[in-house]
Amino acid sequence: MGLLLQLTPNQVNVQRDGLWQLRSLDSVAVGDVLRANHGERIAADGEVIQGSGWCDESHLTGESLPLQKVPGSQVLAGALVSEGSLIYRAHQLGRQTLLGDMMHALSEAQGTKAPIARFADKVAGVFVPTVLLLSFITFLLTLWFVQDVTTAVIHAVAVLVIACPCALGLATPAAIMVGMGKAVNAGIWFKDAASLEESAHVNCVVLDKTGTLTKGELTVAAVWQAQDYSLDADTLYRLAASVEQTANHPLARAIVQAAQARGLTLASAENVQSLAGEGVAADIAGVGRIKVGSAAFCGLTLPTDLPSIWSIASIVAVAVNDRPIGAFALADSLKEDSRQAITRLQQANIEVVVMSGDQQSVVDHIAQQLGIKQAFGHLSPRDKAARIAELKAQGKIVAMVGDGINDAPALAMANVSFAMKGGADVAQQTASATLMQHSVNQLADALVIARATLKNIRQNLFFALIYNVLGIPLAALGFLTPVLAGAAMAMSSVSVLMNALRLKRVKIR
């Protein structure tokens, strides 16, 4: 919870009597005019009244891209101003903000978790007094029939020795220790044994989109070129990047990186003119006046028959001397192993659901690419936790995977949860386990290891109990001396340990 509180600044620039003053956040009231510069965090939910910039709200809303803020735009407490400077009026403070509501939802979710009951503990609680009673009965019956105290004592002691619950006590921890070690070697860090055990029962996986299924960074997803203008794709990239290298916002950086990846040499841009919210214009020798920005800024109307990616992507158009020549569709791209991971989960009869704070159309597009039938967008942190609670009410054993601060309430609500290493600290602290390679494929690995571990535990319990089921009658009837009973008891412990070690050879993929 303290990590969430760190998202809001302790002090903020407040306008009082026409002057900017640095004040404690506690002294800010609803209606105050505040300022956040580059690199600072927004202190309250509110509305921009002056300035422009870009805000990273991905940890709060799940929106995969930095959002441009201009007068009239809404800002959220905890958002980071990645570019520009914003003056905004505070509408909600503290617990009334989205961040505050998320903290409250996290607190509620954490309070709903119940401890996992241990089967072996329950058995041992009944088994030990039962064995003591059986030993006493054996002593009495042997004494009655044999009329020899020494023989009666030997039979009673043999019952106690053969029934020693060493193997029963080793059955669960031995398998858990080997399973945890196997998981660590695979880059999966479970917080405790209960998390590993619960993961074996998972039949529904809820995945966040941004940073989990996708890379969380803009890439060029598609390119359109005007047919009435003769130029190749490299030229389009070079012209756009030559102008965009003078800008410093996410869309510009994505295009420049794409051009550099193609090994293109960028031209010098002169007479650069940047219009906030529209684009950048510059002169390039031998070509003319180049405009790069919104479709309206470049006078571009895209065809209506373009692939679906164009309806959800951020569009960057290019014009030469006010003549549109092409456009780029920039979108968050899938991680290389996301498709393989989803296929593995579905083949294991695990239901897969995507939940994100991003636009529904974007979430649907990602789900369609991965073959996921259930996808929900525009979800707040509380909405995610509520939907997971609904799945649990339907009898699902739910695993949640996420890496953002906005995922923390959902991670806490799930039966078992996985956070990506390198994600938000609060998500990692809330989660039951951490995936070190930032890959959903590791989730499938974790579930394979967990299921193999639970299967091994059941086998160990069988070995432990079968020795007692067969050995106690033999000891009571005098077929086993205390020495033989001790050897049999030791063998049961050895068999349990040897079976647990087989987990090391389990094939994950």
Side-chain angles (χ1 to χ4, degrees):
M1 195 65 68
L3 292 170
L4 287 175
L5 292 172
Q6 292 176 12
L7 290 177
T8 51
N10 295 322
Q11 293 183 313
V12 61
N13 284 304
V14 185
Q15 191 176 57
R16 297 280 169 83
D17 301 323
L19 299 176
W20 290 105
Q21 302 176 11
L22 189 63
R23 295 289 186 90
S24 169
L25 182 59
D26 295 336
S27 66
V28 176
V30 172
D32 280 349
V33 176
L34 312 177
R35 184 178 67 191
N37 297 321
H38 170 72
E40 297 179 348
R41 291 193 179 273
I42 301 295
D45 288 0
E47 180 180 347
V48 177
I49 58 176
Q50 187 178 339
S52 63
W54 294 76
C55 280
D56 181 2
E57 299 177 353
S58 59
H59 292 316
L60 296 167
T61 66
E63 173 67 48
S64 56
L65 311 178
L67 300 177
Q68 187 174 26
K69 303 296 181 179
V70 294
S73 299
Q74 300 298 312
V75 290
L76 300 176
L80 177 68
V81 181
S82 56
E83 299 292 340
S85 178
L86 301 173
I87 297 176
Y88 60 100
R89 190 180 304 279
H91 289 169
Q92 293 176 315
L93 294 164
R95 188 168 176 174
Q96 303 303 316
T97 64
L98 176 63
L99 179 62
D101 183 62
M102 184 169 58
M103 288 190 289
H104 183 61
L106 174 58
S107 178
E108 288 179 344
Q110 287 178 326
T112 63
K113 282 197 169 179
I116 299 173
R118 294 286 186 206
F119 173 73
D121 292 342
K122 291 181 178 180
V123 172
V126 177
F127 181 77
V128 173
T130 301
V131 168
L132 291 173
L133 180 61
L134 287 174
S135 178
F136 182 67
I137 292 173
T138 298
F139 173 79
L140 293 178
L141 291 176
T142 303
L143 183 62
W144 177 270
F145 287 108
V146 179
Q147 297 295 314
D148 183 61
V149 175
T150 302
T151 302
V153 170
I154 290 175
H155 287 191
V157 171
V159 169
L160 289 175
V161 173
I162 193 66
C164 179
C166 293
L168 188 63
L170 288 171
T172 298
I176 288 291
M177 288 181 65
V178 179
M180 294 273 274
K182 180 76 173 180
V184 170
N185 289 337
I188 304 157
W189 289 15
F190 283 97
K191 278 190 176 179
D192 49 43
S195 302
L196 175 62
E197 185 177 342
E198 186 72 357
S199 297
H201 301 290
V202 168
N203 55 20
C204 178
V205 169
V206 175
L207 301 171
D208 177 46
K209 179 186 70 67
T210 306
T212 301
L213 292 171
T214 65
K215 295 179 180 178
E217 58 186 33
L218 285 172
T219 57
V220 177
V223 179
W224 174 83
Q225 295 174 247
Q227 295 182 355
D228 59 348
Y229 196 95
S230 178
L231 84 165
D232 56 24
D234 282 350
T235 302
L236 181 63
Y237 272 98
R238 188 176 67 85
L239 293 177
S242 297
V243 175
E244 291 283 56
Q245 68 180 331
T246 63
N248 190 25
H249 57 79
L251 302 180
R253 286 195 292 269
I255 290 178
V256 172
Q257 289 171 2
Q260 291 173 341
R262 299 170 76 95
L264 302 177
T265 301
L266 305 187
S268 298
E270 300 178 353
N271 300 322
V272 178
Q273 181 183 14
S274 179
L275 299 178
E278 296 186 39
V280 182
D283 293 329
I284 294 182
V287 180
R289 188 69 173 172
I290 311 297
K291 287 184 176 181
V292 182
S294 67
F297 178 65
C298 295
L300 172 65
T301 301
L302 287 169
T304 58
D305 59 348
L306 292 177
S308 60
I309 184 64
W310 289 88
S311 63
I312 64 169
S314 298
I315 307 301
V316 176
V318 183
V320 175
N321 298 324
D322 292 326
R323 181 181 176 184
I325 63 170
F328 300 92
L330 302 180
D332 195 2
S333 58
L334 286 173
K335 292 181 179 179
E336 289 77 6
D337 61 352
S338 290
R339 287 187 179 87
Q340 181 188 13
I342 299 305
T343 299
R344 290 179 64 197
L345 292 172
Q346 292 172 338
Q347 288 176 346
N349 296 319
I350 295 175
E351 181 180 351
V352 182
V353 182
V354 179
M355 295 186 187
S356 175
D358 213 338
Q359 302 174 42
Q360 184 64 53
S361 58
V362 176
V363 179
D364 287 340
H365 177 74
I366 294 296
Q368 184 179 11
Q369 287 183 287
L370 296 173
I372 299 174
K373 296 181 180 179
Q374 297 188 65
F376 303 95
H378 282 302
L379 296 182
S380 68
R382 182 178 288 274
D383 292 336
K384 290 183 182 180
R387 286 192 177 271
I388 288 179
E390 291 175 5
L391 290 171
K392 291 171 66 176
Q394 296 170 12
K396 303 287 186 182
I397 306 299
V398 182
M400 169 70 189
V401 186
D403 70 339
I405 293 172
N406 63 311
D407 297 320
L411 290 169
M413 179 60 69
N415 296 92
V416 62
S417 50
F418 297 83
M420 299 290 188
K421 179 66 176 177
D425 288 343
V426 69
Q428 293 184 56
Q429 290 196 8
T430 304
S432 309
T434 301
L435 305 179
M436 305 302 291
Q437 296 177 9
H438 221 278
S439 165
V440 181
N441 236 337
Q442 278 196 304
L443 168 67
D445 295 344
L447 299 185
V448 168
I449 293 172
R451 290 184 174 188
T453 302
L454 183 61
K455 180 179 178 181
N456 194 275
I457 290 173
R458 289 170 175 165
Q459 292 170 347
N460 285 347
L461 291 173
F462 171 79
F463 284 129
L465 293 173
I466 198 65
Y467 272 97
N468 292 317
V469 170
L470 297 176
I472 289 175
L474 294 175
L477 293 172
F479 293 106
L480 290 178
T481 65
V483 174
L484 291 176
M489 180 272 296
M491 285 300 299
S492 69
S493 298
V494 171
S495 65
V496 164
L497 292 174
M498 293 300 292
N499 186 58
L501 290 173
R502 290 194 311 110
L503 280 172
K504 290 186 175 182
R505 298 194 296 272
V506 170
K507 292 184 178 179
I508 300 178
R509 302 184 189 181

